[in-house]
Structures are given as C-alpha cells and as structure tokens.
Amino acid sequence: MYTIEQTKKYQAETVELLKTAGKKISAKELQHLKEVLRFHEHRYYILSDPLISDFEYDQLFKTLERTEAEHPDWITADSPTQRVAAGITTNFVTVEHLVPMLSLENSYNADDLLDWDRKARELSKLTEVEYCVEPKFDGASISLIYENDLFTRGATRGDGVHGELITTNLKQIRSIPLSAAFSRYGIQQIEIRGEVLINKDNFKKFNEKLAEQNLPPLANPRNAASGTLRIKDPKEVGKRNLEAFLYHVSDYSLISGKKADTALQSHAGCLQMLWDLGFRSPVKEKKVIKGIQGVIDYCIDYEAERDKLPYEIDGMVIKVNDINIQDRLGMTTHHPRWAIAYKFKARQATSILKNVEFQVGRTGSITPVAKIEPVPIGGVTVGSISLHNEDFIREKDIRIGDSVLVERAGDVIPYIVKSLPELRKNNVKPIVFPTNCPVCGDKLYKPEGEAVWRCPNMNCKAQVVERIIHFTSKDAMDIRGLGEANIRNFFELGWLTDVPSIYTLPYDQMAKLEGMGAKSVNNLKEAIEKSKSQPVHRLINALGIRYVGETTAKVLARTVTHLSDLRDYSIENLLQIEDVGAKVAESIYQFFHNPDNIKMIERLEALGLTLKRSGISEITGNLSNLTFLFTGTLTKLKRTAAEELVEKNGGKLLSGVSSKLNYLVVGDDAGSKLEKARKIPSINIIDEDAFIKMTGYGIL
Ligand code: IVH
C-alpha cells in the first residue's frame, strides 16, 4: 500500500514530528501528523511490522490529541483519534466484535500514573479511587463469545472492530473451557477478552525444534503465539501448548427475568467469576488497591520479579475496579478512560550493525556474529548478537551499516528482529560469508539439507579450545576456576592441547604465572581432581557429542554400565534407547567409531576419570513428575546437591514460583519466593528434613 519512497518520507517526517512533542504545531503540521500516524497504524496493525516503538507512537498520538483539544475546529472525520484503526489481513473469515476491542493508553513512570489518577478522581468526583492492578500479558489478544453456557465463537483482535474467526484453533487451547456455567450468574450471552501466550519453556523448546530443522528461531513468544493462532491446521495448534489468560468482560446480556449477579459489579468480581467458571483469569496475580501510590509500588515490585515468571509480560494494567465508575468515566474513541497500561522498560532498541565476525564452534559450525553499536536493553548493554546462519541473514536482508531492531526478551538471548531497509543509506555493504575457516583456513563445507557451514578440521584450534571450554562448563564436568580466559591462555602456552591434557597441567609452572597465586593454583588443582569422580552422565555430556545434551546423556548413562560399552552399540541398538531418534543414534555411532575419540576416552580412564555407572542405582524415581524449587539457606545439604537429588529421583526443578510448582523447599532466611508461594494454595511448602525424607535418602 505504501511505496518505499512514501515509507522513507513518512519515516523522515516522524523524526521531525517527534521533536514537536509538548510544543504547539500548525494546522499544516497537524495534517502531516495525521498522515504519519495512519502510516504507522498500517505498519503495526496490517503489516505487523512497526517502524517505531510504542512510546514514540504514543508521543505522536498525544501531540495530535492535545492539538485537537486546543483547536476543536481542526478535527476531521478521518483523524486517527476519530476511529479505531481500520483494515485487517483476510486469511480467515472476518467477524465483528460485539464491542470494539480498544487499545489502552500507555504510561511509563510514576508521574504518568499520578496524572492519570488525578483525571480519574476529577471525572469520578471521588477523593480516592479503588483500582485493580494485574499483569499486562505479552501475547496475542482474543475475544470469546459464550452463549447458553457454550463457547460459540472466538476471534483475533484484528483491527479492533473486526477480527478473524479462529474458534477451532482456540478450542485447541486447554485453558479455554468449551462450556462454562454463565447461566449461574444470570448470563445468556457474554463476550470476554484475553491474551493467548506461549510460556518461556515451550517457546524455547519450539525454537530448539526449529533449529533442529535448520530453521531460524522466532523472535519472541508474542510472535510465536500470534503466528500459531493463524495456523490453518488446528492439530498443529494443539501441539504448541498455548495458554490463555482471560481478563475482561466486554459485553453480556441477561437471561430474561434474571438480574445481573453482584460479581459483575466490579472488575475483581468479574475475574473471580471467570476463575470460578474454569477460566485462567489473573485472580492470583491481581491486586485491588485504594489510591494510586499503592498501585505505583505494586507495578515497581512486579517489574523486579518479571524475569521469574514463566511467561512474558510487558507491563501492568491498572483498571478502575467499580464497573459503575468505569461507566461514568467512559472512553475516548481510542481507549477507555478507566484503564491504563504501565509499560515496563523496553526490551527492544534500534542500533547500527557495524561488522560481522565468524565464530567456529566445538563441532566446527561457523556462526556469524553481529557486532552492533552497543545499546542498553532492559538493563543490559548488548553489543554482540548471533545471526545463526547464512539463510537467516539472507531472509532478513541484513547488511553491514544497516539499522537493526534488537530484542532481548526475558531470559531469551538477544536477537535481531529485523533490519530496517527503509532507513538504509547508500553506504551499506552485503555480508560476505567466508569460504575458508577463519581460524585454520581449511575449506568450509555445508552438509546437504543443513543451513550451517562447517570447518572439517577436528584439530582446528578453535574447535579444540571450544571443546575444552564445553568439557569444563557448569552443566558438564563443572571445573570451577578453569574458565574461558584460563583455557585460552593455557592453550597458547601449549599446556592444553586436547581434553585429556586438562588432567596433566603443569601446576609448578602455573604458580609462576602473573596473577596466579599458590592458593588459586591449589584450588584449581583440587577442582580438576574432584571432577574425576563426576558421575558418568556429566562426562557423556562433556564429550560434546553432537545432539547429545544433558537429558540424552542421562539416558545413556542409565543404559550402559561402562562408557566404552557404547562402542559395541549398533545404530539399531541405539534406536532402542528411549528418546534416541535416527539423527542422535547416527551421531553417537559415529562418535564411538572414531579412533581419535576412543583414544581420548581410554586416556581419560587411565587418568582416573569415572567411566562406570556407580554400583547402586541413584534413581529411586520417588519424585517423578513433581516440581521443586529451593529458597533460603539449606543446612544439611548443599543447594546444588539438593537440586541434583531432585533430578536423580525423577523430579524437575523450576526457576520461579508459579502454579506449576508442587514443592517449595524452605531453608533459613527465605524471602520473597516463600511469600509468593503462600499465595498459591496448590504449592506444598516443606522444610529440608521433609524434603530429604521424600527422596528416600533418610541417611543423609
Ligand atoms: S484490558 C478495554 N488487561 O494489551 C480494555 N488488556 O495495549 C481491554 N493486554 O489490546 C484491555 N494484558 O491485548 C487488558 N490484563 C490485561 C491485559 C491487556 C494484555 C493487552 C490487550 C490490549 C492491549 C492494549
């Protein structure tokens, strides 16, 4: 709809108009401003490809609102303030929402909230307003209709007035009940709103699957959720484990002769009703607070905990709790006056791509790494970002000198969402992929059907160093003190030449190195010696066999009594092992039929490493399918030992308190996790002794 020329023109005007924030503008500038806003709405709602941040959009929109308030005669029927953005992509059948799905006004700090509260108090004529505060879920918004207690229609937000009909896809989401007894509340038909999400774990797994198929990962859970909702095959939707939070009743009609239930008189009441009817509504996450100061505090506290949640949120939503007062406040054409979003610090930023370096991994894979002008995102400065592979670069049309949009969502690693060719100057250069290994110079090759170029030289210095780094890492042999810097240094000195050389380091000479006191040498020696008795599953993981991570390593360790047994396994034998598919079996087979690897394993055994499974089975399975989290200081067990005990017994560790948690094990001086867990009745809170008993290791 917009040509490249127009896009460039509007982008340039955006920059100029942003400078007018808070200033008076002329009628002519106002005309430009409206066009620019329409352009950005099109980028956002139609193309799902915004060129500016929400904050920048809001600044422009506020200038428009303010100017129109000052000059009501300048308002035109087609002003962005006079309508909800129009037009949608029409892949699915289009339906009209019973009530338009408005968006929310945004706020970014305490002052914005204080201003908003002042207006709410003025309009409601109250000295203090009661608010309901809840997370702003970062997913895809949906609208559901229930009639006579049955789920009859589900739609995407679309342009706010019309959405796409996706009932069948939504029925695949388990947290959306197919029927719900609204009649108990006197309701005949109801329209409710919510957000579809994919949690961080599932998102990670989904991206891992894409990587296995050599497809580039999705940028963030939000894209994964909205993309999944539009898949044509509902079965595929079902496999993606989407979740839905329902947070708003937008419309309802009553069964004749019935009166509206009192639950419908407040927002918190509506959330409770939805919860009671089997929906996932944020009843536990929300807080009802009188006065704005408590609201501000809750928002700030929640932001600090943001990364611990299993799903992404991008802010909080503050709603006037009393529905009568909501009605009194009403809405503008764009958003309700009774609600506002409080946006957390941005996790996206634009930067310039300065250069691309090519790194060699431990399996010889060549990864292009973008070096960007460092930018702060969500409290961390980002300067290097993986570009995955050549296809990724080509698909996203990324060039050196380009402006790039960078995202760092939660614990997801930084990611280039896209380049912004609209802002491209003449001096951009294409990214040229090397034909030879940047470290050893060998000719690179690309196996058929794979996206990654590889260096074929097993003895390539980069590969050897990366293998040693992986071997010593926390999830592998966990040799503290032998960090990346030391490994590189010892390699240059000729002390480290391969993995077994870790166990023959010259400690006397090491003590003479600058900055390496006798104490640190001794600590390192102890750590290296200790690693010799690490359980065999850690050693298997440490060997860095392609496609064999922690989980498969544990399965293999359970299967064999001695690591070298794997030499005798045929592909067919390997395929019998649980979770081992064709690709993994092939890789294990190749590894154990490579004479260099066999020699290495024999040397490791001669050096005293444990290659045998310990005599008594460590696995009792007592904790299988249960989830655990530890908080505070344990007195009998080390935290790591306790965590290992969970895994050995078939349990799973979670990283934060959520409704998925079965047991919170509480040590001394437990803090916020305990408080949070107390609010979730399904969590069992136990002490260390009870935990030890559960594991069946009473003797510990
Ligand atoms: S209330 C009329 N509550 O944020 C008010 N919206 O930027 C309806 N969102 O379109 C919205 N979490 O998709 C509301 N707890 C929450 C929300 C929420 C996420 C989304 C929603 C909305 C957008 C506005």
Side-chain angles (χ1 to χ4, degrees):
M1 180 175 161
Y2 289 97
T3 63
I4 302 246
E5 271 61 45
Q6 283 172 318
T7 303
K8 280 194 180 149
K9 176 179 147 239
Y10 286 125
Q11 192 64 20
E13 285 186 3
T14 304
V15 175
E16 286 314 305
L17 285 165
L18 278 169
K19 292 182 192 154
T20 64
K23 294 188 196 138
K24 286 205 184 310
I25 61 170
S26 67
K28 193 166 167 229
E29 283 172 311
L30 186 76
Q31 189 52 35
H32 282 302
L33 177 59
K34 282 190 272 193
E35 282 177 29
V36 164
L37 280 166
R38 247 174 255 132
F39 163 74
H40 286 300
E41 282 175 356
H42 181 260
R43 297 286 313 194
Y44 190 92
Y45 290 113
I46 313 295
L47 305 181
S48 304
D49 192 17
L51 285 175
I52 54 172
S53 64
D54 288 0
F55 177 73
E56 288 163 327
Y57 177 86
D58 289 342
Q59 296 253 297
L60 295 179
F61 200 86
K62 275 185 184 152
T63 305
L64 176 63
E65 279 183 321
R66 185 172 41 78
T67 311
E68 287 181 345
E70 280 161 18
H71 302 277
D73 51 322
W74 290 0
I75 301 176
T76 54
D78 64 350
S79 168
T81 57
Q82 303 301 302
R83 66 179 172 98
V84 181
I88 58 155
T89 36
T90 48
N91 284 341
F92 286 86
V93 173
T94 300
V95 287
E96 187 170 346
H97 300 302
L98 299 187
V99 172
M101 283 174 90
L102 301 183
S103 60
L104 294 172
E105 186 183 353
N106 285 334
S107 69
Y108 297 90
N109 50 45
D111 283 347
D112 291 350
L113 287 179
L114 288 166
D115 276 352
W116 178 72
D117 169 65
R118 196 173 311 119
K119 272 183 247 151
R121 282 186 287 119
E122 274 167 24
L123 285 170
S124 65
K125 303 200 168 57
L126 292 168
T127 48
E128 189 177 60
V129 180
E130 184 177 82
Y131 296 110
C132 184
V133 190
E134 65 202 36
K136 184 170 185 311
F137 304 101
D138 195 8
S141 35
I142 50 158
S143 175
L144 310 177
I145 294 179
Y146 284 76
E147 281 167 285
N148 305 320
D149 295 345
L150 274 181
F151 173 41
T152 53
R153 199 186 90 172
T156 63
R157 177 181 190 279
D159 65 1
V161 177
H162 299 93
E164 293 150 305
L165 188 68
I166 51 163
T167 316
T168 321
N169 279 354
L170 288 173
K171 283 184 178 171
Q172 310 308 312
I173 302 176
R174 300 272 177 95
S175 45
I176 298 179
L178 298 180
S179 65
F182 284 108
S183 52
R184 274 197 238 143
Y185 295 81
I187 295 168
Q188 191 267 325
Q189 186 196 51
I190 187 165
E191 187 184 51
I192 54 181
R193 301 275 156 85
E195 206 82 358
V196 167
L197 310 166
I198 183 162
N199 77 29
K200 292 177 192 168
D201 268 357
N202 284 323
F203 173 67
K204 232 177 167 172
K205 278 188 208 140
F206 182 60
N207 266 349
E208 280 164 11
K209 265 202 201 136
L210 288 178
E212 266 173 31
Q213 298 162 38
N214 287 321
L215 295 168
L218 288 173
N220 52 44
R222 180 182 58 249
N223 287 9
S226 62
T228 303
L229 285 184
R230 286 187 184 78
I231 293 182
K232 297 276 164 63
D233 175 6
K235 267 205 226 95
E236 184 56 33
V237 178
K239 286 188 202 149
R240 304 263 181 104
N241 295 320
L242 295 178
E243 302 172 26
F245 269 103
L246 277 306
Y247 48 63
H248 180 60
V249 171
S250 49
D251 194 33
Y252 62 86
S253 57
L254 296 172
I255 298 165
S256 69
K258 290 265 173 131
K259 262 172 83 186
D261 192 278
T262 50
L264 293 157
Q265 286 169 7
S266 72
H267 176 66
C270 290
L271 293 183
Q272 191 60 49
M273 170 185 78
L274 290 173
W275 182 265
D276 291 341
L277 290 174
F279 291 87
R280 192 166 180 204
S281 73
V283 268
K284 297 208 169 107
E285 294 80 0
K286 66 111 193 9
K287 196 169 173 184
V288 176
I289 302 168
K290 280 208 171 85
I292 199 70
Q293 193 50 50
V295 169
I296 294 169
D297 293 344
Y298 191 59
C299 289
I300 293 170
D301 289 351
Y302 224 95
E303 182 164 11
E305 299 288 309
R306 171 189 197 184
D307 285 340
K308 296 187 185 135
L309 295 174
Y311 46 79
E312 284 290 339
I313 63 173
D314 62 342
M316 303 298 282
V317 182
I318 300 110
K319 298 172 182 174
V320 169
N321 194 31
D322 187 316
I323 305 289
N324 277 325
I325 300 173
Q326 283 188 5
D327 291 343
R328 218 186 295 162
L329 294 178
M331 48 192 73
T332 71
T333 42
H334 209 249
H335 48 68
R337 287 197 198 89
W338 47 263
I340 191 164
Y342 172 85
K343 299 276 277 190
F344 290 161
K345 266 190 242 66
R347 280 170 158 175
Q348 277 195 346
T350 47
S351 179
I352 304 281
L353 176 60
K354 294 291 215 195
N355 191 18
V356 174
E357 289 178 4
F358 294 89
Q359 282 178 2
V360 187
R362 66 186 154 87
T363 56
S365 56
I366 308 291
T367 307
V369 178
K371 297 290 167 181
I372 60 162
E373 190 78 61
V375 275
I377 312 179
V380 176
T381 301
V382 178
S384 285
I385 308 171
S386 169
L387 291 173
H388 307 288
N389 57 46
E390 201 177 5
D391 295 348
F392 182 86
I393 294 173
R394 302 280 165 262
E395 239 163 61
K396 302 226 163 189
D397 186 22
I398 302 172
R399 302 188 203 173
I400 293 168
D402 262 349
S403 297
V404 285
L405 183 65
V406 180
E407 175 160 316
R408 193 188 68 90
D411 42 14
V412 177
I413 47 175
Y415 181 90
I416 293 202
V417 181
K418 60 184 176 181
S419 67
L420 302 168
E422 295 84 3
L423 306 185
R424 192 169 275 165
K425 309 229 174 69
N426 292 330
N427 56 356
V428 295
K429 281 190 293 186
I431 298 167
V432 182
F433 236 78
T435 50
N436 291 70
C437 174
V439 177
C440 72
D442 267 20
K443 199 158 172 46
L444 301 179
Y445 74 105
K446 187 153 79 163
E448 221 188 286
E450 289 194 14
V452 177
W453 285 93
R454 290 182 186 278
C455 163
N457 176 11
M458 282 272 290
N459 299 318
C460 171
K461 175 186 146 183
Q463 288 192 41
V464 177
V465 170
E466 291 300 329
R467 277 203 296 272
I468 299 174
I469 292 172
H470 171 74
F471 189 89
T472 59
S473 64
K474 197 167 161 275
D475 294 334
M477 298 301 267
D478 192 20
I479 306 181
R480 308 263 162 102
L482 192 55
E484 189 171 332
N486 271 340
I487 292 174
R488 291 191 190 282
N489 193 13
F490 297 168
F491 187 87
E492 290 307 322
L493 288 165
W495 297 348
L496 281 177
T497 48
D498 54 13
V499 163
S501 66
I502 295 169
Y503 296 95
T504 57
L505 280 170
Y507 296 110
D508 322 345
Q509 291 181 46
M510 198 184 290
K512 291 181 203 141
L513 285 184
E514 223 186 284
M516 288 288 284
K519 188 148 186 257
S520 50
V521 172
N522 213 37
N523 286 345
L524 179 58
K525 191 175 169 185
E526 262 179 32
I528 290 177
E529 283 305 309
K530 215 175 112 204
S531 75
K532 289 182 177 172
S533 43
Q534 285 284 26
V536 70
H537 69 80
R538 279 183 171 270
L539 177 61
I540 299 177
N541 182 21
L543 292 176
I545 307 166
R546 240 181 121 188
Y547 307 122
V548 175
E550 253 182 293
T551 318
T552 314
K554 282 181 184 166
V555 177
L556 291 178
R558 253 184 271 157
T559 309
V560 295
T561 42
H562 191 284
L563 180 58
S564 297
D565 294 353
L566 284 169
R567 291 164 65 172
D568 306 326
Y569 273 64
S570 65
I571 299 261
E572 287 70 39
N573 295 149
L574 288 164
L575 284 169
Q576 304 294 314
I577 303 172
E578 86 181 76
D579 285 344
V580 174
K583 219 163 53 177
V584 185
E586 172 69 26
S587 168
I588 299 171
Y589 183 84
Q590 292 299 343
F591 187 92
F592 284 94
H593 285 80
N594 177 332
D596 288 341
N597 291 334
I598 300 301
K599 236 182 270 162
M600 170 177 73
I601 291 170
E602 284 169 359
R603 269 178 70 203
L604 289 175
E605 186 162 37
L607 287 161
L609 273 77
T610 311
L611 269 67
K612 264 199 206 149
R613 177 153 49 108
S614 55
I616 319 144
S617 169
E618 290 158 336
I619 298 133
T620 62
N622 284 1
L623 311 183
S624 61
N625 298 324
L626 296 176
T627 57
F628 288 81
L629 177 68
F630 294 88
T631 181
T633 317
L634 304 183
T635 50
K636 297 190 175 141
L637 292 169
K638 272 202 172 148
R639 174 76 71 93
T640 45
E643 288 176 348
E644 228 167 70
L645 217 46
V646 169
E647 292 194 319
K648 274 182 191 164
N649 286 286
K652 210 180 135 201
L653 293 161
L654 295 190
S655 55
V657 175
S658 73
S659 54
K660 289 217 176 108
L661 183 64
N662 300 125
Y663 288 93
L664 182 75
V665 184
V666 180
D668 292 345
D669 302 322
S672 61
K673 281 184 194 154
L674 176 57
E675 265 168 47
K676 213 168 153 202
R678 284 203 175 116
K679 292 185 194 139
I680 307 181
S682 61
I683 299 178
N684 297 295
I685 299 172
I686 59 171
D687 64 10
E688 196 178 353
D689 284 334
F691 167 72
I692 293 172
K693 256 195 206 143
M694 277 183 80
T695 65
Y697 281 71
I699 25 136
L700 271 167

